[in-house]
Amino acid sequence: MNGDATPDEAAIHLADVSKVFGKIGTDAAFRAVDGLNLDVRPGQMLALLGKTGCGKSTIFNMIAGLTAPSSGSVRVDGRDPFAEFDSFRGKMAIVFQNDRLLPWRTAIQNVELGLEMLEIPAAERRATAQQWLTKLGLGGHENDYPHALSGGMRQRVSIARAFATNANILLCDEPFSALDESTAGRLRAEFVRLVKENGKTAVFITHSISEALEIGDRIVVLKRPAMIAYDVRFDTSTGPEEREDIRSRIVEVLAV
Ligand SMILES: Nc1ncnc2c1ncn2[C@@H]1O[C@H](COP(=O)(O)OP(=O)(O)O)[C@@H](O)[C@H]1O
Ligand SMILES: [Mg+2]
């Protein structure tokens, strides 16, 4: 056990999880994740850090219930996200690298989408969507279509959409990596604040050490094939020197 929660307490629990692409036992088989054990406690903000191709998105897709593990078990709030996919509607929200907005819907209509699926009444839906767009600095852009918004603004809409459903668990797969660094930096800080204010559990995937240090209260460094090479927790009381030590350690771990 490498977490600080028991499996029953964990919001996300992965036990001996492997994922093999292609037919197991053949030359074409590719082991993207190998015997991964990971527990995320409720309210934790975990940065999953690793180089491109190390298996981050594969892990993400298993937690999100988009794909099943080849072996081992994945539990989110004690349930199997792949087998019980529909029961997670409104409980888990996802932000991808690409904003995935519907181009024929305005900003507010995109935020309302998740709420429509939860069958929230129209007036309440609109009010909630409006509130989240405002929190993300998009007041005045409610009726803009995605094509009229910058990349950073579009990603703000998709973050508003994720928070609006009031899901307890947020999963983010490199959501800011297509943005320029100053836009990404601002959005990252706001994202951390909103996650904390709203008591969410979040898994944030990144290939950037600096981003992991800004996001996480815990960083798990993955090495191919998606095995944990380093697992570290810190908080606001962690001073700059200690943070530098953590950074150096991560650099070391990723270099070998
Ligand atoms: N559907 C798939 N079929 C075959 N191989 C895949 C598939 N998805 C991912 N892979 C391979 O698994 C490895 C891990 O991929 P991925 O999880 O996307 O890594 P990351 O997100 O860390 O960049 C890569 O080598 C990738 O080519
Ligand atoms: Mg990826």
Side-chain angles (χ1 to χ4, degrees):
M1 178 80 57
N2 54 28
D4 47 5
T6 68
D8 289 342
E9 291 163 355
I12 299 170
H13 173 66
L14 279 74
D16 203 16
V17 167
S18 297
K19 180 71 181 180
V20 179
F21 292 112
K23 202 167 163 26
I24 294 175
T26 68
D27 285 349
F30 181 81
R31 191 167 286 270
V33 180
D34 194 16
L36 181 68
N37 292 296
L38 179 67
D39 283 284
V40 183
R41 65 164 176 74
Q44 190 164 65
M45 182 124 173
L46 169 69
L48 263 187
L49 171 68
K51 291 182 183 165
T52 300
C54 79
K56 300 183 297 298
S57 292
T58 304
I59 295 170
F60 182 90
N61 290 337
M62 289 191 285
I63 297 173
L66 300 171
T67 183
S70 305
S71 62
S73 92
V74 178
R75 293 289 177 272
V76 176
D77 282 340
R79 283 169 300 134
D80 180 334
F82 185 75
E84 301 174 61
F85 189 79
D86 284 340
S87 74
F88 284 94
R89 192 166 282 178
K91 306 225 161 59
M92 215 166 6
I94 299 182
V95 186
F96 291 102
Q97 179 177 349
N98 174 304
D99 55 70
R100 303 204 185 185
L101 300 179
L102 299 177
W104 58 87
R105 286 187 156 226
T106 62
I108 196 161
Q109 287 169 343
N110 267 287
V111 177
E112 282 185 71
L113 188 65
L115 302 168
E116 282 169 29
M117 293 199 269
L118 294 172
E119 296 176 26
I120 310 277
E124 186 185 337
R125 217 158 65 203
R126 186 133 286 240
T128 303
Q130 177 67 59
Q131 188 195 343
W132 279 103
L133 282 174
T134 305
K135 275 193 200 179
L136 281 148
L138 287 172
H141 292 281
E142 296 82 0
N143 299 315
D144 289 357
Y145 285 90
H147 70 83
L149 301 172
S150 68
M153 290 160 92
R154 285 200 298 272
Q155 202 55 303
R156 283 173 188 271
V157 177
S158 64
I159 292 170
R161 182 175 60 186
F163 277 99
T165 60
N166 204 21
N168 277 328
I169 298 178
L170 293 175
L171 304 178
C172 309
D173 194 354
E174 312 214 24
F176 308 136
S177 62
L179 305 176
D180 66 80
E181 188 39 44
S182 69
T183 304
R186 272 197 306 277
L187 213 39
R188 200 178 287 135
E190 279 175 59
F191 179 78
V192 171
R193 183 176 55 77
L194 290 171
V195 167
K196 290 293 162 202
E197 267 178 25
N198 293 278
K200 307 290 185 194
T201 306
V203 175
F204 191 104
I205 291 192
T206 178
H207 64 259
S208 153
I209 300 177
S210 306
E211 179 163 69
L213 284 161
E214 283 173 51
I215 290 283
D217 22 66
R218 177 182 176 196
I219 300 178
V220 164
V221 182
L222 296 168
K223 293 273 290 196
R224 197 167 172 167
M227 289 173 38
I228 294 176
Y230 182 43
D231 186 350
V232 60
R233 289 173 190 74
F234 51 95
D235 57 35
T236 44
S237 72
T238 309
E241 269 176 45
E242 221 178 315
R243 277 171 197 268
E244 260 330 292
D245 289 346
I246 293 172
R247 177 189 291 273
S248 310
R249 181 83 183 103
I250 294 173
V251 171
E252 250 174 57
V253 165
L254 286 174
V256 276

